[in-house]
Amino acid sequence: LAKTTQPISMDSYEGQEVNITCSHNNIATNDYITWYQQFPSQGPRFIIQGYKTKVTNEVASLFIPADRKSSTLSLPRVSLSDTAVYYCLVVYNDMRFGAGTRLTVKP
Amino acid sequence: EAGVTQFPSHSVIEKGQTVTLRCDPISGHDNLYWYRRVMGKEIKFLLHFVKESKQDESGMPNNRFLAERTGGTYSTLKVQPAELEDSGVYFCASTRRGLGLDTEAFFGQGTRLTVV
């Protein structure tokens, strides 16, 4: 199973762009890179998924280099409500969580 | 469309007692997953059902834990007898098909279990 490594915590301010990088050096060919967000007292919530290059949706962008050994979640113009834990997972028939990155957005 | 629902939201039981957690996945979702987070630790995979069959139960901690999914709809996770280290938040998730491209897992709100 591919293991992921992310920063334990990050701080940002409202209105800034936040980039969270995840490394997954032993990612397999069939694995997809998926990010989830979790607020306190709630279950994780899907944010975005990609295989390679760039994926963008209404809440985030995901950048994946050609070697796929890392990925970067980009949150544009964060607000206080984006304070949460963000998990990077590599997924194929299996979904295992790492420690996640605790993002704190300050006013 | 109703989301994944879990019952109860909280449970406080004494060591040695039995507790049964329930998860109702999204209708039509064949895949159901159980996870738990104990205090200060990561979210850990417990097991995965495909319909009523256990696809992967490698994360079940010991034989005090029993998961069932009769009829391939809702699932129960029974802990008997409960121990103090079983305290934590138990999450359930469901997907329509197996994990892979364009497969989003939907999680319930979790059941917070406290064993005293």
Side-chain angles (χ1 to χ4, degrees), chain A residues 36 46 49 87 93 95-96, chain B residues 35 37 56 99-100 102 105:
Chain A
Y36 282 78
F46 174 89
Q49 182 186 66
Y87 294 97
N93 289 331
M95 186 167 63
R96 311 287 170 123
Chain B
Y35 292 83
R37 166 186 267 149
D56 180 357
L99 293 167
D102 292 333

Side-chain angles (χ1 to χ4, degrees), chain B residues 48-115:
Chain B
H48 168 204
F49 281 101
V50 178
K51 296 184 180 179
E52 66 276 10
S53 300
K54 294 176 184 175
Q55 182 79 7
D56 180 357
E57 52 184 328
S58 60
M60 294 288 266
N62 51 61
N63 59 11
R64 295 186 294 103
F65 288 74
L66 175 63
E68 294 180 323
R69 192 182 181 196
T70 305
T73 54
Y74 70 91
S75 174
T76 58
L77 180 65
K78 179 189 290 188
V79 185
Q80 178 182 30
E83 298 289 345
L84 299 179
E85 64 264 26
D86 300 332
S87 296
V89 182
Y90 289 76
F91 292 104
C92 173
S94 73
T95 62
R96 183 174 299 279
R97 56 177 187 269
L99 293 167
L101 178 62
D102 292 333
T103 301
E104 174 182 348
F106 295 85
F107 282 80
Q109 297 281 74
T111 293
R112 181 173 295 279
L113 174 65
T114 303
V115 183

Side-chain angles (χ1 to χ4, degrees), chain A residues 87-107:
Chain A
Y87 294 97
C88 162
L89 298 89
V90 289
V91 173
Y92 184 73
N93 289 331
D94 189 89
M95 186 167 63
R96 311 287 170 123
F97 287 81
T101 297
R102 183 173 299 278
L103 172 66
T104 302
V105 180
K106 303 175 182 177

Side-chain angles (χ1 to χ4, degrees), chain A residues 49-66:
Chain A
Q49 182 186 66
Y51 185 79
K52 59 181 178 181
T53 65
K54 177 184 174 182
V55 180
T56 297
N57 62 21
E58 63 275 10
V59 298
S61 294
L62 178 59
F63 300 90
I64 306 168

